Amino acid sequence: MTPQEQLTAALARIPYATFLGVRAELKGDELTLVLPYSEHLLGNPLLPALHGGVVGALMELTAITQLAIASKSAKFPKTIDVGFDYLRSGKPVDTFARAKVIKIGRRIANVQAEAWQGERGQPIAAMHGHFLVGDDDAANPKT
Amino acid sequence: MASETHYGEGGDVFERIQAMMKWTPQGRALGFEVTKLEGNHVWGRAPYKPELVGDPETGVIAGGVITTFLDQLCGMAAVLAMKEPSMVATIDIRIDYMRGATPGRDVLAEAHCYKIGRNVAFVRAVAFEDDAGNPIAHATATFMVNATRKFGANLTEKKS
């Protein structure tokens, strides 16, 4: 399998990614997640505007997937904390997201992500977060 | 139950807040419910659904679902705290995860708008299963409260 096929297969295994309708595009080690517009993703049907949670979920999913690629671990990273800044309302069109792994430590990784629609330079939202990577049992003995 | 709210005179506040929750297509798709109101506090439920699982190995619900739920419930708390109910827009939300949600169980949450000004509402929330003292996640969020004007402008633009 090519890395793109591996990624598509990995995403297909996540029910929530299927629920959102997310697909992945991999160029080299740079990942873009694409969220095709669908009516059930709206938070406000009057405007209409995408639900902020959906845009957040897209960025978090991008961060986790990019981190999985960067850490080359078979296990999905776990979210410790995420912060989302909403910059403009999401229009009823396709949305894209990319994540940048700022630092991977032995247990914790720091990641930033952005989501955009029309123009890459005008993001609709930004994310920063910390994720648990590596050996789960050693890092988090209670789970 | 909702006697402390400033949520206008007409109609049942609880019913109106519930209707508002169901009005959101994504909230409807995820099956969110408002279960209780008290002052500027809102309680809600996000039912467990197999199609919302984020980790196929454990069956734990996706973090994105919790994000959407807390964002929605925090927004409801902001609306509840307003003298004249109108639309709110999320400025930012930060979520700390204490643990993964238990597979197969509904997620409950309580959101509280503890300060509202003319422009910004400040909300905190906690997600849990039985006991808010054993949280899945904590959230703090801010909302733009005068979102209607901007929203109206957008609407006019779309119609023309």
Side-chain angles (χ1 to χ4, degrees), chain A residues 49-86:
Chain A
L50 292 181
H51 199 294
V54 168
V55 179
L58 174 69
M59 291 187 290
E60 187 178 337
L61 206 54
T62 310
I64 286 177
T65 315
Q66 181 72 69
L67 198 49
I69 293 169
S71 70
K72 296 180 169 59
S73 163
K75 280 191 174 173
F76 280 114
K78 284 183 178 161
T79 311
I80 300 167
D81 65 68
V82 276
F84 302 103
D85 290 340
Y86 292 96

Side-chain angles (χ1 to χ4, degrees), chain A residues 98-117:
Chain A
R98 247 179 232 166
K100 189 173 164 188
V101 176
I102 305 297
K103 194 213 162 180
I104 304 187
R106 236 165 13 96
R107 296 193 290 181
I108 292 169
N110 180 307
V111 188
Q112 294 177 356
E114 276 185 356
W116 75 95
Q117 293 183 323

Side-chain angles (χ1 to χ4, degrees), chain A residues 5 42 46-47 67 73 75 78 80 89 92-93 103 111 119 140:
Chain A
E5 285 167 347
L42 292 177
L46 256 186
L47 290 175
L67 198 49
S73 163
K75 280 191 174 173
K78 284 183 178 161
I80 300 167
S89 73
V93 295
K103 194 213 162 180
V111 188
E119 282 180 59
N140 201 354

Side-chain angles (χ1 to χ4, degrees), chain A residues 13-16 19 39-48 51-54 57 60 79-86, chain B residues 23-26 30 50-54 56 62 64-65 67-68 71-72 90-97 151 155 158:
Chain A
R13 283 181 54 234
I14 305 174
Y16 181 61
F19 171 85
E39 202 254 332
H40 79 290
L41 303 176
L42 292 177
N44 184 327
L46 256 186
L47 290 175
H51 199 294
V54 168
E60 187 178 337
T79 311
I80 300 167
D81 65 68
V82 276
F84 302 103
D85 290 340
Y86 292 96
Chain B
W23 178 75
T24 302
Q26 176 65 11
L30 295 175
E51 65 264 35
L52 302 180
V53 163
V65 177
T67 300
T68 306
D71 179 36
Q72 177 97 30
T90 319
I91 300 169
D92 71 49
I93 181 164
R94 182 204 148 95
I95 303 171
D96 290 338
Y97 280 92
F151 279 13
L155 202 59
K158 215 186 146 265

Side-chain angles (χ1 to χ4, degrees), chain B residues 24-106:
Chain B
T24 302
Q26 176 65 11
R28 216 162 44 223
L30 295 175
F32 294 163
E33 287 169 49
V34 173
T35 54
K36 185 180 156 190
L37 305 176
E38 206 174 286
N40 294 337
H41 292 252
V42 182
W43 283 260
R45 178 199 311 276
Y48 183 85
K49 291 170 186 264
E51 65 264 35
L52 302 180
V53 163
D55 186 339
E57 279 170 32
T58 58
V60 171
I61 215 89
V65 177
I66 309 282
T67 300
T68 306
F69 183 43
L70 291 175
D71 179 36
Q72 177 97 30
L73 206 65
C74 285
M76 295 321 241
V79 169
L80 191 66
M82 291 158 78
K83 286 194 176 74
E84 288 294 327
S86 81
M87 293 299 162
V88 294
T90 319
I91 300 169
D92 71 49
I93 181 164
R94 182 204 148 95
I95 303 171
D96 290 338
Y97 280 92
M98 279 82 223
R99 61 181 174 90
T102 309
R105 300 207 57 189
D106 295 353

